Amino acid sequence: MPKIRSAKVIVASPARNFVTLKIETEDGVHGVGDATLNGRELAVASYLGDHVIPCLIGREAHRIEDIWQYLYRGAYWRRGPVTMSAIAAVDMALWDIKGKIAGLPLYQLLGGASRDGVMVYCHANGTTIEEAVAAGRAYMDQGYKAVRLQAGVPGLKSTYGVPKGKQPYEPADADIPTENLWSTEKYMRSVPALFEAGRDKLGWDVHLLHDAHHRLTPIEAGRLGKDLEPFRLFWLEDPVPAENQESFRLIRRHTTTPLAVGEVFNTIWDCKQLIEEQLIDYIRATVVHAGGITHLRRIASLADLYNVRTGCHGATDLSPIAMAAALHFNLAVPNFGIQEHMSHAPLTETVFPHTYSYAGGYMHPGDKPGLGVDIDEAEAAKHPYKRAYLPVNRLEDGTLYNW
Ligand code: GCO
Ligand code: MG
Protein backbone atom coordinates (compact mmCIF):
# COMPACT_ATOMS: atom_id res chain seq x y z
CA MET A 1 0.00 0.00 0.00
CA PRO A 2 1.49 3.38 -1.01
CA LYS A 3 2.38 5.66 1.86
CA ILE A 4 2.21 9.45 1.82
CA ARG A 5 5.74 10.77 1.38
CA SER A 6 5.12 14.51 1.28
CA ALA A 7 2.48 17.17 1.14
CA LYS A 8 2.66 20.88 0.50
CA VAL A 9 0.40 23.90 0.33
CA ILE A 10 0.58 26.22 -2.67
CA VAL A 11 -0.95 29.68 -2.29
CA ALA A 12 -1.14 31.65 -5.52
CA SER A 13 -3.16 34.34 -7.21
CA PRO A 14 -3.61 33.60 -10.93
CA ALA A 15 -6.39 36.19 -11.50
CA ARG A 16 -7.62 35.55 -7.90
CA ASN A 17 -6.36 33.76 -4.78
CA PHE A 18 -6.37 29.97 -4.57
CA VAL A 19 -5.03 27.56 -1.97
CA THR A 20 -3.98 24.15 -3.29
CA LEU A 21 -2.80 21.05 -1.46
CA LYS A 22 -0.52 18.63 -3.27
CA ILE A 23 0.08 15.19 -1.75
CA GLU A 24 2.68 12.75 -3.06
CA THR A 25 3.11 9.04 -2.32
CA GLU A 26 6.36 7.16 -1.89
CA ASP A 27 5.82 5.79 -5.42
CA GLY A 28 5.74 9.30 -6.83
CA VAL A 29 1.99 9.48 -7.56
CA HIS A 30 0.56 12.87 -6.67
CA GLY A 31 -2.93 14.19 -6.05
CA VAL A 32 -4.30 17.72 -5.72
CA GLY A 33 -7.01 19.26 -3.56
CA ASP A 34 -8.62 22.71 -3.41
CA ALA A 35 -8.53 24.46 -0.01
CA THR A 36 -9.66 27.94 -1.06
CA LEU A 37 -11.80 29.86 1.44
CA ASN A 38 -12.51 33.24 -0.11
CA GLY A 39 -11.08 36.10 1.97
CA ARG A 40 -9.67 33.72 4.64
CA GLU A 41 -7.17 31.81 2.48
CA LEU A 42 -4.15 31.90 4.78
CA ALA A 43 -6.08 30.50 7.74
CA VAL A 44 -6.66 27.27 5.79
CA ALA A 45 -3.09 27.28 4.47
CA SER A 46 -1.80 27.44 8.05
CA TYR A 47 -4.30 24.82 9.30
CA LEU A 48 -2.98 22.48 6.62
CA GLY A 49 0.70 23.35 6.80
CA ASP A 50 1.03 23.66 10.58
CA HIS A 51 -1.49 21.11 11.81
CA VAL A 52 -2.56 18.59 9.16
CA ILE A 53 0.47 17.83 7.00
CA PRO A 54 2.67 16.66 9.90
CA CYS A 55 0.02 14.01 10.71
CA LEU A 56 -0.27 12.80 7.09
CA ILE A 57 3.31 11.77 6.41
CA GLY A 58 3.72 7.98 6.46
CA ARG A 59 -0.03 7.21 6.35
CA GLU A 60 -1.46 4.85 3.73
CA ALA A 61 -2.83 6.98 0.90
CA HIS A 62 -5.62 4.50 0.12
CA ARG A 63 -7.24 4.79 3.57
CA ILE A 64 -9.37 7.80 2.64
CA GLU A 65 -12.21 7.17 5.09
CA ASP A 66 -9.87 6.51 7.99
CA ILE A 67 -7.87 9.66 7.27
CA TRP A 68 -11.11 11.66 7.02
CA GLN A 69 -12.25 10.38 10.45
CA TYR A 70 -8.77 10.94 11.87
CA LEU A 71 -8.80 14.60 10.80
CA TYR A 72 -12.45 15.23 11.77
CA ARG A 73 -12.91 13.32 15.04
CA GLY A 74 -9.25 13.30 15.91
CA ALA A 75 -8.95 17.09 16.03
CA TYR A 76 -11.46 17.29 18.92
CA TRP A 77 -12.54 20.73 17.56
CA ARG A 78 -15.05 19.82 14.89
CA ARG A 79 -16.65 21.60 11.93
CA GLY A 80 -16.24 25.19 10.73
CA PRO A 81 -15.19 26.41 7.28
CA VAL A 82 -11.43 26.44 7.96
CA THR A 83 -11.31 22.90 9.35
CA MET A 84 -13.66 21.45 6.75
CA SER A 85 -11.93 23.11 3.77
CA ALA A 86 -8.62 21.69 4.98
CA ILE A 87 -10.11 18.18 5.38
CA ALA A 88 -11.74 18.57 1.95
CA ALA A 89 -8.40 19.33 0.29
CA VAL A 90 -6.83 16.19 1.78
CA ASP A 91 -9.85 14.13 0.74
CA MET A 92 -9.82 15.41 -2.87
CA ALA A 93 -6.08 14.79 -3.21
CA LEU A 94 -6.42 11.23 -1.88
CA TRP A 95 -9.30 10.42 -4.27
CA ASP A 96 -7.17 11.85 -7.07
CA ILE A 97 -4.32 9.51 -6.07
CA LYS A 98 -6.63 6.51 -5.77
CA GLY A 99 -8.05 7.16 -9.23
CA LYS A 100 -4.58 7.51 -10.74
CA ILE A 101 -3.42 4.24 -9.15
CA ALA A 102 -6.61 2.45 -10.25
CA GLY A 103 -6.27 3.93 -13.74
CA LEU A 104 -9.87 5.19 -13.54
CA PRO A 105 -11.51 8.63 -13.57
CA LEU A 106 -12.94 9.41 -10.14
CA TYR A 107 -16.58 9.08 -11.22
CA GLN A 108 -15.96 5.41 -11.96
CA LEU A 109 -14.82 4.85 -8.38
CA LEU A 110 -18.01 6.55 -7.16
CA GLY A 111 -20.24 4.03 -8.94
CA GLY A 112 -19.93 5.14 -12.55
CA ALA A 113 -21.91 7.66 -14.59
CA SER A 114 -25.61 8.03 -13.74
CA ARG A 115 -26.11 10.45 -16.65
CA ASP A 116 -24.43 11.52 -19.89
CA GLY A 117 -23.51 15.02 -18.78
CA VAL A 118 -23.83 17.47 -15.89
CA MET A 119 -26.39 20.23 -16.48
CA VAL A 120 -24.89 23.56 -15.46
CA TYR A 121 -26.28 27.04 -14.92
CA CYS A 122 -24.46 30.22 -15.82
CA HIS A 123 -24.59 33.78 -14.48
CA ALA A 124 -26.38 36.39 -16.58
CA ASN A 125 -25.77 39.73 -14.88
CA GLY A 126 -26.46 43.33 -15.81
CA THR A 127 -26.71 46.75 -14.27
CA THR A 128 -30.19 46.97 -15.79
CA ILE A 129 -32.90 44.40 -16.44
CA GLU A 130 -32.35 44.78 -20.20
CA GLU A 131 -28.63 44.05 -19.84
CA ALA A 132 -29.20 41.01 -17.64
CA VAL A 133 -31.80 39.56 -20.01
CA ALA A 134 -29.55 40.21 -23.03
CA ALA A 135 -26.73 38.39 -21.22
CA GLY A 136 -29.16 35.52 -20.61
CA ARG A 137 -29.98 35.38 -24.33
CA ALA A 138 -26.26 35.29 -25.22
CA TYR A 139 -25.74 32.32 -22.85
CA MET A 140 -28.75 30.52 -24.32
CA ASP A 141 -27.14 30.98 -27.74
CA GLN A 142 -24.14 29.08 -26.31
CA GLY A 143 -26.48 26.24 -25.42
CA TYR A 144 -27.05 26.87 -21.70
CA LYS A 145 -30.27 25.25 -20.46
CA ALA A 146 -30.26 27.15 -17.16
CA VAL A 147 -29.51 30.78 -16.46
CA ARG A 148 -29.21 32.71 -13.21
CA LEU A 149 -30.50 36.27 -13.59
CA GLN A 150 -29.17 39.10 -11.38
CA ALA A 151 -29.71 42.78 -12.15
CA GLY A 152 -28.75 46.07 -10.52
CA VAL A 153 -31.34 47.50 -8.14
CA PRO A 154 -32.54 51.05 -9.01
CA GLY A 155 -31.41 53.39 -6.24
CA LEU A 156 -28.52 51.17 -5.05
CA LYS A 157 -24.95 51.83 -6.24
CA SER A 158 -23.89 48.19 -6.21
CA THR A 159 -25.66 44.86 -6.08
CA TYR A 160 -24.53 41.31 -5.38
CA GLY A 161 -23.71 39.49 -8.62
CA VAL A 162 -23.43 42.55 -10.83
CA PRO A 163 -19.93 43.53 -12.04
CA LYS A 164 -18.76 47.10 -11.58
CA GLY A 165 -17.22 47.64 -14.99
CA LYS A 166 -16.62 45.51 -18.04
CA GLN A 167 -14.58 42.95 -16.08
CA PRO A 168 -16.22 39.63 -15.09
CA TYR A 169 -17.91 39.66 -11.67
CA GLU A 170 -15.39 39.26 -8.83
CA PRO A 171 -16.54 40.34 -5.39
CA ALA A 172 -13.25 39.85 -3.46
CA ASP A 173 -11.87 43.08 -4.80
CA ALA A 174 -10.19 45.05 -2.02
CA ASP A 175 -7.34 45.03 0.46
CA ILE A 176 -9.81 46.00 3.19
CA PRO A 177 -13.51 45.11 2.68
CA THR A 178 -15.47 47.46 0.43
CA GLU A 179 -18.62 48.78 2.12
CA ASN A 180 -21.86 48.47 0.12
CA LEU A 181 -25.32 49.86 0.85
CA TRP A 182 -28.41 47.68 0.86
CA SER A 183 -32.16 48.25 0.83
CA THR A 184 -34.47 45.24 0.95
CA GLU A 185 -37.45 47.39 -0.07
CA LYS A 186 -35.77 48.55 -3.28
CA TYR A 187 -34.55 45.04 -4.05
CA MET A 188 -37.94 43.39 -3.47
CA ARG A 189 -39.58 45.81 -5.90
CA SER A 190 -37.06 45.11 -8.66
CA VAL A 191 -36.89 41.31 -8.78
CA PRO A 192 -40.36 40.40 -10.11
CA ALA A 193 -39.83 42.86 -12.98
CA LEU A 194 -36.55 41.14 -13.82
CA PHE A 195 -38.24 37.76 -14.13
CA GLU A 196 -41.23 39.13 -15.97
CA ALA A 197 -38.83 40.49 -18.60
CA GLY A 198 -36.84 37.25 -18.42
CA ARG A 199 -39.84 35.08 -19.29
CA ASP A 200 -41.04 37.57 -21.85
CA LYS A 201 -37.71 37.72 -23.73
CA LEU A 202 -36.18 34.31 -23.00
CA GLY A 203 -39.33 32.18 -23.09
CA TRP A 204 -40.27 29.16 -21.00
CA ASP A 205 -37.81 26.58 -22.36
CA VAL A 206 -34.99 27.72 -20.12
CA HIS A 207 -34.53 27.25 -16.38
CA LEU A 208 -34.30 30.58 -14.59
CA LEU A 209 -32.60 30.93 -11.20
CA HIS A 210 -31.97 33.74 -8.73
CA ASP A 211 -29.72 34.28 -5.69
CA ALA A 212 -31.01 36.48 -2.85
CA HIS A 213 -27.64 36.04 -1.08
CA HIS A 214 -28.97 35.70 2.49
CA ARG A 215 -30.51 39.18 2.56
CA LEU A 216 -34.14 38.68 3.50
CA THR A 217 -36.08 37.88 6.64
CA PRO A 218 -38.27 34.75 6.50
CA ILE A 219 -41.49 36.67 5.90
CA GLU A 220 -39.86 38.82 3.19
CA ALA A 221 -38.56 35.63 1.58
CA GLY A 222 -42.06 34.17 1.67
CA ARG A 223 -43.39 37.25 -0.08
CA LEU A 224 -40.65 37.31 -2.73
CA GLY A 225 -41.14 33.60 -3.42
CA LYS A 226 -44.86 34.22 -3.83
CA ASP A 227 -44.31 37.21 -6.15
CA LEU A 228 -42.01 35.07 -8.30
CA GLU A 229 -44.37 32.09 -8.57
CA PRO A 230 -45.85 33.16 -11.93
CA PHE A 231 -42.36 32.98 -13.48
CA ARG A 232 -41.71 29.38 -12.35
CA LEU A 233 -38.13 29.70 -11.13
CA PHE A 234 -35.90 26.63 -11.05
CA TRP A 235 -34.82 27.96 -7.64
CA LEU A 236 -34.59 30.92 -5.34
CA GLU A 237 -31.23 30.67 -3.60
CA ASP A 238 -30.28 31.61 -0.04
CA PRO A 239 -33.36 33.72 0.70
CA VAL A 240 -32.34 34.08 4.37
CA PRO A 241 -29.23 33.29 6.42
CA ALA A 242 -29.58 29.64 7.37
CA GLU A 243 -28.13 29.48 10.85
CA ASN A 244 -31.71 29.20 12.06
CA GLN A 245 -32.99 26.30 10.00
CA GLU A 246 -36.46 26.51 11.53
CA SER A 247 -37.07 29.83 9.84
CA PHE A 248 -37.54 27.97 6.56
CA ARG A 249 -40.82 26.59 7.89
CA LEU A 250 -42.22 30.09 7.68
CA ILE A 251 -41.01 30.56 4.10
CA ARG A 252 -42.44 27.20 3.04
CA ARG A 253 -45.84 28.15 4.44
CA HIS A 254 -46.04 31.01 1.97
CA THR A 255 -44.51 29.91 -1.31
CA THR A 256 -44.04 27.02 -3.72
CA THR A 257 -40.99 28.62 -5.37
CA PRO A 258 -38.24 25.96 -5.00
CA LEU A 259 -35.47 26.84 -2.56
CA ALA A 260 -31.72 26.18 -2.74
CA VAL A 261 -29.47 26.62 0.29
CA GLY A 262 -26.07 25.59 1.59
CA GLU A 263 -23.08 27.10 -0.22
CA VAL A 264 -21.71 28.24 3.16
CA PHE A 265 -22.48 24.94 4.92
CA ASN A 266 -19.61 22.80 6.15
CA THR A 267 -21.14 19.56 7.37
CA ILE A 268 -24.19 17.35 7.24
CA TRP A 269 -25.24 18.84 10.58
CA ASP A 270 -25.77 22.24 8.94
CA CYS A 271 -28.29 20.72 6.50
CA LYS A 272 -29.90 18.08 8.66
CA GLN A 273 -33.11 19.84 9.65
CA LEU A 274 -33.57 21.56 6.29
CA ILE A 275 -33.36 18.19 4.55
CA GLU A 276 -35.28 16.06 7.04
CA GLU A 277 -38.19 18.50 7.20
CA GLN A 278 -38.12 18.97 3.42
CA LEU A 279 -37.71 22.71 3.87
CA ILE A 280 -35.51 23.03 0.79
CA ASP A 281 -35.39 21.49 -2.69
CA TYR A 282 -31.67 21.75 -3.52
CA ILE A 283 -28.64 21.43 -1.28
CA ARG A 284 -25.71 23.62 -2.38
CA ALA A 285 -22.95 22.25 -0.14
CA THR A 286 -19.72 21.85 -2.10
CA VAL A 287 -16.83 19.52 -2.20
CA VAL A 288 -14.34 22.14 -0.96
CA HIS A 289 -16.23 23.77 1.90
CA ALA A 290 -18.10 20.68 3.09
CA GLY A 291 -15.36 18.17 3.80
CA GLY A 292 -14.58 16.72 0.38
CA ILE A 293 -16.07 13.95 -1.73
CA THR A 294 -16.31 11.62 1.28
CA HIS A 295 -18.55 13.97 3.26
CA LEU A 296 -20.52 15.38 0.33
CA ARG A 297 -21.60 11.85 -0.62
CA ARG A 298 -23.01 11.44 2.88
CA ILE A 299 -24.95 14.72 2.60
CA ALA A 300 -26.31 13.69 -0.83
CA SER A 301 -27.40 10.29 0.49
CA LEU A 302 -29.35 11.92 3.32
CA ALA A 303 -30.87 14.39 0.85
CA ASP A 304 -31.91 11.58 -1.49
CA LEU A 305 -34.17 10.11 1.21
CA TYR A 306 -36.16 13.35 1.20
CA ASN A 307 -36.27 14.17 -2.52
CA VAL A 308 -33.76 16.96 -2.11
CA ARG A 309 -31.38 17.21 -5.06
CA THR A 310 -27.84 18.53 -5.30
CA GLY A 311 -26.94 21.96 -6.70
CA CYS A 312 -23.27 22.46 -5.86
CA HIS A 313 -21.79 25.91 -5.47
CA GLY A 314 -19.38 26.63 -8.33
CA ALA A 315 -18.38 30.30 -8.23
CA THR A 316 -14.92 31.33 -9.48
CA ASP A 317 -13.54 31.36 -5.93
CA LEU A 318 -13.66 27.55 -6.06
CA SER A 319 -10.61 26.47 -8.03
CA PRO A 320 -10.70 24.25 -11.13
CA ILE A 321 -9.70 21.41 -8.78
CA ALA A 322 -12.97 21.79 -6.85
CA MET A 323 -14.82 22.09 -10.17
CA ALA A 324 -13.31 18.84 -11.44
CA ALA A 325 -14.15 17.04 -8.19
CA ALA A 326 -17.72 18.40 -8.31
CA LEU A 327 -18.17 17.19 -11.89
CA HIS A 328 -17.12 13.62 -11.02
CA PHE A 329 -19.44 13.69 -8.02
CA ASN A 330 -22.32 15.14 -10.09
CA LEU A 331 -21.95 12.60 -12.86
CA ALA A 332 -22.25 9.72 -10.40
CA VAL A 333 -24.64 10.87 -7.65
CA PRO A 334 -28.22 9.59 -8.13
CA ASN A 335 -30.02 12.72 -6.87
CA PHE A 336 -28.11 15.27 -8.94
CA GLY A 337 -29.99 18.50 -9.67
CA ILE A 338 -27.74 21.08 -11.31
CA GLN A 339 -24.19 22.49 -11.04
CA GLU A 340 -23.23 26.16 -10.94
CA HIS A 341 -20.74 27.19 -13.64
CA MET A 342 -18.88 30.49 -13.76
CA SER A 343 -16.00 30.37 -16.22
CA HIS A 344 -12.58 30.93 -14.66
CA ALA A 345 -10.25 33.63 -15.99
CA PRO A 346 -7.82 32.48 -18.74
CA LEU A 347 -4.90 32.87 -16.30
CA THR A 348 -6.59 30.54 -13.80
CA GLU A 349 -7.08 27.99 -16.57
CA THR A 350 -3.35 28.16 -17.44
CA VAL A 351 -2.30 27.43 -13.86
CA PHE A 352 -4.81 24.58 -13.45
CA PRO A 353 -4.82 22.50 -16.67
CA HIS A 354 -7.86 20.21 -16.71
CA THR A 355 -9.74 17.67 -18.79
CA TYR A 356 -13.29 18.80 -17.95
CA SER A 357 -15.21 20.49 -20.72
CA TYR A 358 -18.46 22.26 -21.58
CA ALA A 359 -20.74 21.59 -24.55
CA GLY A 360 -24.38 22.49 -25.16
CA GLY A 361 -25.43 23.21 -21.59
CA TYR A 362 -23.65 20.24 -20.04
CA MET A 363 -20.21 19.61 -18.56
CA HIS A 364 -18.20 16.41 -18.35
CA PRO A 365 -15.16 15.68 -16.13
CA GLY A 366 -13.28 13.77 -18.84
CA ASP A 367 -11.82 10.28 -18.58
CA LYS A 368 -8.28 10.79 -17.36
CA PRO A 369 -7.50 8.72 -14.23
CA GLY A 370 -8.15 10.61 -10.98
CA LEU A 371 -9.62 14.11 -11.00
CA GLY A 372 -8.22 15.09 -14.40
CA VAL A 373 -6.82 18.38 -13.12
CA ASP A 374 -3.39 19.54 -11.97
CA ILE A 375 -1.50 22.61 -10.86
CA ASP A 376 1.37 24.06 -12.88
CA GLU A 377 3.59 25.08 -9.99
CA ALA A 378 6.03 27.13 -12.05
CA GLU A 379 3.16 29.19 -13.50
CA ALA A 380 1.51 29.49 -10.07
CA ALA A 381 4.74 30.86 -8.57
CA LYS A 382 4.58 33.81 -10.97
CA HIS A 383 1.38 35.03 -9.28
CA PRO A 384 1.90 35.63 -5.56
CA TYR A 385 -0.95 35.85 -3.04
CA LYS A 386 -2.52 39.25 -2.66
CA ARG A 387 -4.87 39.94 0.23
CA ALA A 388 -8.45 40.38 -1.01
CA TYR A 389 -11.68 40.59 0.95
CA LEU A 390 -15.34 40.12 0.11
CA PRO A 391 -17.40 43.29 0.68
CA VAL A 392 -19.55 44.02 3.70
CA ASN A 393 -23.07 45.43 3.53
CA ARG A 394 -24.74 48.22 5.48
CA LEU A 395 -28.35 49.30 5.51
CA GLU A 396 -29.01 52.86 4.39
CA ASP A 397 -28.94 54.04 8.02
CA GLY A 398 -25.45 52.53 8.54
CA THR A 399 -26.41 49.28 10.30
CA LEU A 400 -24.11 46.39 9.38
CA TYR A 401 -26.09 43.79 7.45
CA ASN A 402 -25.63 40.45 5.63
CA TRP A 403 -23.56 40.67 2.47
C1 GCO B 1 -22.88 31.93 -5.72
C2 GCO B 1 -22.30 32.59 -4.52
C3 GCO B 1 -21.06 33.36 -4.75
C4 GCO B 1 -20.48 33.85 -3.43
C5 GCO B 1 -19.01 33.70 -3.41
C6 GCO B 1 -18.41 34.10 -2.10
O1 GCO B 1 -24.05 31.62 -5.67
O2 GCO B 1 -22.15 31.70 -6.67
O3 GCO B 1 -23.28 33.24 -3.78
O4 GCO B 1 -21.22 34.39 -5.67
O5 GCO B 1 -20.84 35.15 -3.16
O6 GCO B 1 -18.70 32.38 -3.73
O7 GCO B 1 -17.08 33.72 -2.00
MG1 MG C 1 -25.02 31.98 -3.87
Side-chain angles (χ1 to χ4, degrees), residues 148 160 211 213 237-238 263 284 313 340:
R148 191 188 87 163
Y160 162 76
D211 190 350
H213 221 255
E237 178 182 336
D238 286 333
E263 66 182 40
R284 283 187 42 76
H313 186 201
E340 181 176 15

Side-chain angles (χ1 to χ4, degrees), residues 359-382:
Y362 297 90
M363 290 183 78
H364 194 282
D367 280 300
K368 209 170 162 192
L371 289 174
V373 62
D374 213 337
I375 180 164
D376 180 334
E377 289 185 65
E379 266 310 306
K382 292 182 195 159

